[in-house]
């Protein structure tokens, strides 16, 4: 036998052995496989309402814990501080935490009380009476060397509570009145995010809606209608011309014909906004006169915020305030064990294309790069919704800093890209621009916690652009409890993520289908939120950044892996939760950070990827 034939035979034998080992060693789900159930629309609405209440309740607990920690720190720092330093710290605390409406410092040594922001909110006589009752109860508690926390109460339509503490030496005490506006904000956020209300409202953005299959007009009257609807701008169209780019003279002709200003251009496509034509009229015009490669609506994209055998690794338990009690999601995917293998690298950038990120959040300090605003040119990518800040915290909130929550990645830098506006909605153009910009800035992973049910060639072009530049692209599947494919999650270049709950079961709101690749935790996930606060949110938007962060850890550990190889590692190392193998509810299963990083190795060819390496070797000797 010739040397070449011997080599080929040896490679095939090795490939067959590895394939058999790969399937033989594929993880089981603890001996039992979970069968997903799909609630009907009435059940779905009731379950989503329960999820919303759960998120608001958890957010209340998170922020009470966070406020108590800040007050404890204030008391500890006051013990030997000068009055000037105390005043400076108190003012700084209130400026950075706008929900602290009133701060009262009591010095029992001098019998002096100093009040910051001394005006109390006013309501009805009954409400004012209740407020004074809780304030007096707080004062009585600290006189008796006790801490105090009142129940929530309403003043002028807003929710508040009092909290009071006295220091260990008993010399100084603090009473604070806390505005709980975050609870209303989270409730409204989740009404939209879980599609419990029509979103966005018809007419608010001069938009229309179409059925994602038939492209016929549809009116969204209930939250459940979103599963069939894709929203678009009624007087705009996205066009890609057959011969590249039109000339200046041709653009002038188009402008005169449809009465429009200069179109926006991104990549190969143009967006025209007409002052006199509807989308259907524009489509007819371009089809007859310009014969485009494609002409499609300018779609809107909405936020999608709806047990292991590996015991050998040491479990790292970070000291972040909310980790042990509220971050069930990280141990569920073996994050603490995985930190023994990789905690990320500042060289591997993870882009968050979303509503922006709060740049000065104390739990994101030093984690963010200078980002980009695709909504308002030249502006910083500040978060005016909360969604992007929450997503960013899941990926990379500072870990082991005794503050708030722990992020999955300790060291990967986050690149914030604002592609969704202050309503939480964006357009094909803004999302595509954000993706392309992030890829051009060197992002190695892009998280897209957003979606629509219409297949846009324009958006797909942007996805391909990033994928061709070796970017791992991760997207949320959606929160409509539907099998309808959502985009960009359903594109073959994208890792589509479904959501699971703390029991390792399919989250009731999570979309499903054959396009799902993996699942990740997505119910009541604690993370960073604007105004230096923390919130618990549910949605596939929360599941997706778990997977994006894992991709960042993998690429940090083994930079030689391509985006295709990273995807193969994530899916092959997942814990199977549904029917054996791939299924439409969990994909290949729930991601497992420790197993995946074990497989990724450090410069070695992972077992799961050996068949691809065999193919490369075969090609090289032919």
């Amino acid at each position: 036998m010739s040397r070449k034939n011997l080599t080929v035979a040896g490679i095939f034998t090795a490939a067959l052995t590895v394939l058999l080992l790969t399937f033989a060693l594929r993880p089981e789900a603890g001996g039992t496989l979970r069968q997903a159930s799909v609630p009907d629309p009435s059940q779905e609405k009731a379950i989503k309402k329960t999820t919303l209440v759960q998120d608001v309740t958890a957010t209340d607990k998170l922020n009470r814990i966070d406020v108590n920690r800040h007050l404890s720190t204030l008391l500890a720092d006051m013990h030997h501080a000068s009055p000037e330093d105390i005043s400076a710290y108190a003012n700084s605390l209130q400026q950075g935490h706008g929900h602290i409406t009133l701060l009262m410092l009591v010095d029992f040594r001098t019998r002096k009380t100093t009040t910051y922001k001394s005006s109390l909110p006013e309501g009805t006589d009954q409400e004012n009476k209740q407020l004074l009752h809780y304030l007096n109860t707080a004062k009585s508690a600290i006189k008796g060397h006790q801490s105090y926390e009142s129940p929530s109460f309403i003043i002028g339509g807003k929710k508040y509570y009092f909290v009071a503490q006295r220091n260990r030496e008993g010399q100084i005490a603090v009473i604070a009145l806390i505005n709980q506006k975050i609870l209303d904000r989270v409730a409204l956020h989740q009404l939209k995010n879980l599609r419990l209300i029509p979103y966005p409202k018809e007419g608010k953005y001069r938009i229309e809606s179409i059925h994602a299959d038939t492209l016929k007009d549809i009116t969204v009257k209930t939250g459940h209608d979103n599963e069939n609807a894709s929203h678009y701008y009624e007087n705009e169209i996205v066009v890609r011309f057959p011969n590249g780019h039109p000339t200046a003279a041709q653009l002038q002709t188009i402008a005169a014909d449809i009465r429009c200003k200069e179109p926006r251009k991104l990549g190969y496509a143009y967006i025209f906004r007409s002052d006199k034509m509807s989308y259907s009229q524009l489509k007819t015009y371009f089809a007859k006169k310009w014969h485009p490669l494609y002409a499609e609506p300018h779609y809107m994209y909405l936020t999608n915020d709806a047990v292991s055998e590996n015991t050998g690794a040491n479990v790292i338990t970070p000291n972040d305030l909310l980790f042990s009690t509220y971050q069930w999601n990280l141990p569920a995917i073996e994050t603490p064990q995985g930190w023994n293998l990789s905690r990320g690298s500042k060289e591997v950038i993870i882009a968050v294309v979303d509503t922006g990120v709060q740049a000065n959040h104390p739990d994101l300090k030093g984690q963010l790069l200078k980002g980009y605003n695709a909504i308002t040119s030249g502006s910083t990518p500040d978060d005016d919704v909360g969604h992007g800040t929450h997503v960013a915290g899941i990926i990379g909130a500072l870990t082991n800093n005794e503050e708030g929550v722990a992020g999955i990645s300790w060291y990967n830098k986050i690149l914030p890209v604002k592609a969704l506006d202050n309503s939480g909605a964006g357009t094909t153009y803004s999302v595509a621009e954000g993706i392309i910009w992030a890829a051009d800035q060197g992002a190695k992973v892009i998280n897209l916690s957003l979606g629509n049910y219409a297949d846009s060639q324009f958006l797909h072009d942007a996805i391909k652009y990033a994928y061709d530049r070796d970017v791992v692209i991760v997207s949320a599947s959606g929160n409509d409890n539907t099998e309808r494919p959502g985009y960009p999650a359903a594109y073959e270049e994208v890792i589509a993520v479904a959501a699971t709950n703390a029991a390792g079961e399919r989250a009731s709101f999570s979309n499903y289908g054959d396009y799902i690749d993996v699942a990740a935790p997505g119910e009541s996930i604690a993370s960073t939120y604007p105004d230096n606060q923390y919130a618990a949110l549910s949605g596939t938007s929360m599941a997706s950044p778990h997977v994006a962060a894992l991709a960042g850890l993998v690429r940090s550990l083994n930079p030689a892996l391509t985006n295709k190889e990273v995807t193969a590692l994530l899916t092959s190392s997942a814990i199977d939760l549904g029917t054996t193998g791939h299924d439409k509810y969990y994909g290949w299963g729930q991601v497992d950070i420790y197993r995946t990083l074990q497989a990724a190795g450090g410069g070695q060819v992972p077992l799961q990827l050996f068949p691809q390496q065999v193919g490369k070797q075969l090609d090289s000797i032919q």
Side-chain angles (χ1 to χ4, degrees), residues 31 56 138 216 255 263 358 360 365 449 496 580 608 612:
V56 171
K216 292 182 179 179
Q358 183 196 337
N360 61 349
K365 186 177 181 180
S449 288
T580 304
Q608 293 90 331
Q612 288 99 305

Side-chain angles (χ1 to χ4, degrees), residues 272-290:
F272 296 91
R273 174 182 289 180
S274 172
D275 291 335
K276 69 174 185 177
M277 290 187 183
S278 66
Y279 166 73
S280 59
Q281 292 171 322
L282 288 168
K283 187 172 178 66
T284 300
Y285 165 77
F286 279 100
K288 286 184 176 180
K289 191 162 184 178
W290 301 98

Side-chain angles (χ1 to χ4, degrees), residues 102-108 110-116 139 142-143 173-175:
L102 175 143
L103 197 63
M104 185 179 294
L105 304 181
V106 182
D107 191 331
F108 288 101
T110 62
R111 299 184 181 276
K112 181 181 179 182
T113 298
T114 306
T115 304
Y116 300 86
K139 291 178 178 179
I142 58 174
K143 285 181 181 178
V174 60
I175 298 173

Side-chain angles (χ1 to χ4, degrees), residues 357-548:
V357 179
Q358 183 196 337
N360 61 349
H361 195 291
D363 223 1
L364 292 170
K365 186 177 181 180
Q367 299 294 81
L368 306 178
L369 298 173
K370 184 178 180 180
Y372 180 72
N373 192 322
I375 299 295
T376 306
S377 179
S379 298
T380 55
D382 297 326
D383 187 2
D384 42 18
V385 176
H387 190 268
T389 299
H390 198 272
V391 167
I394 295 170
I395 294 172
L398 286 168
T399 303
N400 243 14
N401 66 336
E402 299 183 339
E403 169 83 36
V405 295
I408 293 174
S409 165
W410 295 33
Y411 305 123
N412 291 100
K413 294 298 182 182
I414 297 172
L415 185 65
V417 180
K418 186 172 179 61
L420 306 180
D421 64 19
N422 60 10
S423 74
T427 66
T428 318
Y429 186 96
S430 63
V431 174
E433 182 182 8
I435 292 168
I436 290 173
W437 185 87
D440 286 344
Q441 299 306 305
K444 300 305 290 181
V445 181
I446 295 177
N447 184 80
L448 301 168
S449 288
L450 48 84
N452 192 318
Y453 292 110
D455 180 0
S456 164
Q457 295 181 69
F458 179 29
L459 180 66
H460 201 177
D461 277 350
I463 293 290
K464 290 176 181 176
Y465 180 93
Y467 189 80
D468 290 344
R469 282 152 183 78
D470 195 35
V471 179
V472 175
I473 308 164
V474 185
S475 181
S477 62
N479 302 332
D480 291 314
N481 182 39
T482 179
E483 194 169 359
R484 179 180 302 284
Y487 299 94
Y491 292 130
E492 62 179 346
E493 298 87 0
V494 177
I495 301 174
V497 185
T500 52
N501 60 24
E505 299 167 342
R506 170 185 173 268
S508 58
F509 51 78
S510 183
N511 286 1
Y512 55 96
D514 291 339
Y515 68 98
I516 298 295
D517 293 299
V518 291
E523 270 198 12
S524 286
I525 305 301
S527 186
T528 46
Y529 208 64
D531 298 326
N532 299 339
Q533 297 190 74
Y534 299 88
L537 299 180
S538 297
T540 55
S541 278
M542 285 62 254
S544 182
H546 288 77
V547 180

Side-chain angles (χ1 to χ4, degrees), residues 36-60:
S37 59
V38 180
D40 63 35
S42 61
Q43 293 172 323
E44 174 191 342
K45 186 174 183 180
I47 294 171
K48 285 183 174 181
K49 285 183 176 179
T50 301
T51 301
L52 185 150
V53 171
Q54 178 179 294
D55 289 348
V56 171
T57 301
T59 299
D60 183 18

